[in-house]
Amino acid sequence: MQELAHFFTVGEQQSYATFIVAMVVLVSFLVYHIQSAQPQINYSNVTSAELSPASATLAKALPDSVFFEPHPIFVESIHSYWAMQERDIVPQCIFRPRSAREVATAIGIIKRDYDLRTGRGEVPPPFAIRSGGHSPIPGAANTDGGVVIDLRLLNQITPSRDGSSVIIGSGARWLDISKALDNRGIAVAGGRNSAVGVGGLTLGGGISFFSPRVGFVCNNILSYEIVLADGTIVTASSSSNPGLWRALKGGSNNFGVVTSFVARSFPFTNIWSGFLYMTGGKANQVIDAFHEFAKAKPSLYDEYAGGPLVCFSYLQRLGVNAVSTHLAYTKPVSWPACWAGFKSIGRLWSTVKIRSLTSATDELGKLSPPGFRELFFTTTVKNDHATLMEAYAGYKRGAEAMRRVRGMTWTLTLQPLFPAMMRKGQPDSQGLATRTEPLVIVLFTVVWKDTSDDALVDRTARGIIREVDQYAASRGAADRYRYLNDCASWQRPFDGYGAENKRFLQDMSREYDPDGLFQRACVGGFKLDMDPGLANFTGLTDE
């Protein structure tokens, strides 16, 4: 749910005058963030020292695709990461492949260097895989002094003749895909934030506006083209490498470099979607409406209802608390009956309307401008009202603890997962298909400006999630699942898949990467605990 890292609204008085003030503050705050989101990057740690063997060999083998600082392509790549923590990291070189064959060549070079180093008992040289570069975790798609495989040129979007599937390059963004498909009258289950890349979201499970109807994004991938650790290019599908096919549905980057996906597509015209913006005083009513919606009888389940995403935000710069609710309906129907509980809550204004899928994802994308320090952390609970209220209480405690963090935006988002949704589509590795009652993803996001506040933000985050989890356990409302794409580096999403699914992923890793290249040398992505010397998230300490 990266689309909700920022939230903008105002005031406590519901009047026309307050509405005007709200609009002025909203625009001013967004302009301030965008204008200030162009910091200068310090390249002082980049030297002219001798290149690593992998970088030097890559540059010789693929000279038109490998870039070093201060080449403009290298600088652009660093500047284009979404979170400042990723921009703070400077690799030795950036490799921008133009084909799966080039990726295979690069992995072959990296693997030979890996074998040589590990054979001598040395630490293997690091490399990272980048799709959209939209993760807030430092080292998720970048590596200090190593090789970054930047897949953004692998951005092809090719619908099939019959409109039943689309070939999508791993480096494409969801905005590119919706733009290409809107005029064709088809869609795929994809990200809700236009700026997010295809690769990371899809390999982490992925939640879509269409998920209530078709399941997670990963449940709708017909096949993957993937470069394995030995440099071979294979297809993973239900009939070819079926174990790998299932492992890639939620298994992150533990098995190879996925260069393209074939996604199932379906007829689609327009979506009804947008935000309801409310004052902070509406928080309890919104939680009540969310709880009632999530506990509705299965017979009332509406597979076209995407969401709701209920958000509570504190804007430190303005000193205000506010509430917003994002609603979506994947038919061009205004105010369908399923959203009646939210329609009745008084609001300052709303943006809900019938629109294209591109417009819907772009609305969420524009609320998350790049260039700030970011942190996501999450838990999952049952739809217990008291536990939801405790999550909100944790949000308020966090706002108080971080009140002096400069430029801070602090948000709690609640999102339901219904049993019907968790059973849809192809089998995956997330371990949710047997759930029989609704769950709620509880996501906290923090946005701030200064590195000097990093420790306070991290300490506050760990304390709040621990308190919410303890309270949920005391109520019998805890659940093991953690949505991988919302996890902090110190969380353990694969434990939440259950022991059987985690063992399955480990078995697939041993089969397709027997020497552990993607466990030990590929930084970023949550690892499978196959090497006791490694942190859960490679390159970071798990404290």
Side-chain angles (χ1 to χ4, degrees), residues 346-390:
R347 55 191 179 273
L348 293 171
W349 79 95
S350 77
T351 65
V352 292
K353 63 180 180 180
I354 295 173
R355 59 176 87 195
S356 68
L357 186 59
T358 296
S359 172
T361 61
D362 222 24
E363 179 180 32
L364 290 164
K366 288 176 178 177
L367 292 180
S368 300
F372 294 90
R373 308 192 77 74
E374 310 266 356
L375 175 65
F376 297 170
F377 54 104
T378 188
T379 190
T380 304
V381 300
K382 297 176 182 178
N383 184 36
D384 173 63
H385 189 275
T387 301
L388 301 183
M389 292 302 298
E390 171 58 22

Side-chain angles (χ1 to χ4, degrees), residues 1 11 31 74 98 194 213 273 281 287 315 421 454 458 476 498 506:
M1 292 180 286
V31 169
F74 183 101
R98 292 167 292 183
S194 61
R213 191 171 76 169
S273 71
I287 292 173
L315 308 178
M421 169 194 155
D454 289 4
D458 184 76
Q506 291 171 335

Side-chain angles (χ1 to χ4, degrees), residues 76-120:
E76 180 278 332
S77 183
I78 300 299
H79 270 289
S80 64
Y81 284 100
W82 179 62
M84 275 305 301
Q85 293 101 315
E86 284 281 71
R87 298 187 188 189
D88 289 342
I89 299 169
V90 182
Q92 186 169 91
C93 73
I94 291 173
F95 167 53
R96 300 191 73 189
R98 292 167 292 183
S99 67
R101 179 54 55 194
E102 285 197 355
V103 175
T105 298
I107 290 297
I109 291 168
I110 291 169
K111 178 62 162 58
R112 286 192 292 275
D113 191 32
Y114 172 87
D115 290 342
L116 180 65
R117 301 285 191 95
T118 54
R120 296 194 302 232

Side-chain angles (χ1 to χ4, degrees), residues 477-496:
D479 190 89
R480 72 188 185 197
Y481 179 70
R482 301 292 181 271
Y483 177 48
L484 185 147
N485 290 331
D486 286 347
C487 282
S489 64
W490 35 265
Q491 296 191 283
R492 307 181 66 83
F494 292 128
D495 288 353

Side-chain angles (χ1 to χ4, degrees), residues 158-167 180-181 184-189 222 262-268:
T158 309
S160 64
R161 289 181 178 272
D162 63 2
S164 65
S165 64
V166 182
I167 301 171
L181 302 184
R184 293 175 175 267
I186 61 174
V188 297
L222 303 176
V262 178
R264 184 175 75 87
S265 54
F266 42 83
F268 178 75

